[in-house]
Amino acid sequence: MRGLFKALGIAAALALAACSPKKTETAAAPAAAPKAGGELHIYNWSDYIDPALLTQFTKETGIKVTYDTFDSNEVLETKVLQGNTGYDLVVPSNHNVPRYIAAGAIQPLDKSQLPGLDKLAPDVMAHMAPFDPGAKYAVPYMQGTIGIGYNIDAVAKRLPGVKIDSWAVVFDPKTLAKLKDCGVYFLDASEDMYAVALNDLGKDPNSHVAADYDAATALLMKARPYVRKFHSSEYIDALANGDICVAIGYSGDVLQAKARAVEAKNKVRIAYSIPKEGSQVWFDLFTIPKDAPNPVAAHRFIAFMLRPEIIAKASNFTQYANANSAATALVDPAIRDDPNAYPTPELNKRLFVTTTKDQALLREVNRQWTKVLTGH
Ligand code: N2P
C-alpha cells in the first residue's frame, strides 16, 4: 500500500529542522505592523478564499489586492514558467513545484518576513520535503483529495443499492451509462486524472511506464461517451443546482457544493466519497514568481495566512484542511471533524501523494489527455 505516512524518517527530520523556530515568535501582531501600501497581485485557485480575508488584509496593511483565479495546475504552470505574469503570489500543487524550482520560475522565500512558520504541521512539512527540500520556496496553503461528488437521490434512483465507494462507479462504462442522463463531469486536469485512473487500474499512480498511461487512456476513452463535460470548477454549482449527479472533483469543492445546496434549500443532497481503492492527496502551496513586482507584499500576505485565526477562517470557507497545527482548534468543528476535509489516520492510509514527472513524461501525459478530451 502506498501509505501517506510511509518512509518519512529523513524527510521529516529535514522538514522539522527547516521550520523549527530559531526565535520565539508570538502571533504576528498585525496592529503593530507598519502599513506597507502598494499593490499585491494574487493568482489562486477558484473558490479558494474567503473574500472577507482579502478585505481584512488590505485594511491591516494598506496593500491593495488584485485577485485572479484559475482552476488547473496546467494553466498555471504554463503561465508561470513563461514568466512575466505580473503576479506576486501563485499557488501550485506539490507535484508541480519541483519543475518551477528547476526552471528558476519562483524565488526563495525570506523566512525572516514569515513569522508563524513554526506553526506548520511537521507531518505536512515532511510531505513537502521531497518537493521543496529545506522548505525554501513554498508555504502550504490547503490540502485536499480527489474523489466522487454525487447527488445522493439521483444516483440512488439509477444505481439502487450501489454503494458509491469505488472508482468503478465513474470508470466502469456499464455503471457510468446508467448515470449519463443525470449528468457526469470529470476534472479537466491531466496529472490528477491519470493518477486516479492508474490507481483504479491497480497500477502505480506515479508510474513512469508509458504502457500504463496507454492503459489509463483506454479506460478514460471508454468512460468518455458518458461524460457530459470535462471541467475543473463548474461542477460545484452544477452539483449544487442538481444539474449534474456525479463529478470527479476536489474534496472541499464538493463540500462547498453540498453547502450551497443546503443554503439554496433546493432539496439537493450532495455527498463526497474517497474510493476504497485509494486516491490522491494534494497540497497547494504559496510561491512567489521570480519576477514578482512586489515580493514584500507577497511575503506580507503569506505571513497573514500563517496566523492561526486567519487560516482557520480560510478553511471554514474553502472546506479544505490547512497545514497550521495551531489553527485546527479554531476551525469549525463540522469541518475539522469531517474526515472528507480532515482525513483520519485510517483514511490517510488509502491516500497517495503524486510525485513529479519530468518534462518528457509530462508531455506524453498531456498528449494522451488531449486525446481523451477530443475523443481521437
Ligand atoms: C480549489 C481546488 C484546489 C484543488 N477550488 C487542486 N489543487
Side-chain angles (χ1 to χ4, degrees), residues 45-48 73 93 192 236 250 253 256 282 284 320:
W45 294 82
S46 47
D47 305 287
Y48 219 29
N73 267 316
S93 298
D192 289 344
I236 306 180
Y250 300 121
D253 289 14
Q256 287 182 48
W282 44 260
D284 290 337
Y320 286 104

Side-chain angles (χ1 to χ4, degrees), residues 48 142-146 251-252 272 280-283 320-321 340-341:
Y48 219 29
M142 299 279 159
Q143 72 179 74
T145 55
I146 298 175
S251 47
Y272 179 71
Q280 185 200 56
V281 56
W282 44 260
F283 302 83
Y320 286 104
N340 287 322

Side-chain angles (χ1 to χ4, degrees), residues 96-116:
N96 301 78
V97 166
R99 292 192 297 261
Y100 286 47
I101 297 173
I106 51 178
Q107 55 181 280
L109 302 171
D110 175 358
K111 292 189 186 176
S112 71
Q113 294 182 51
L114 299 175

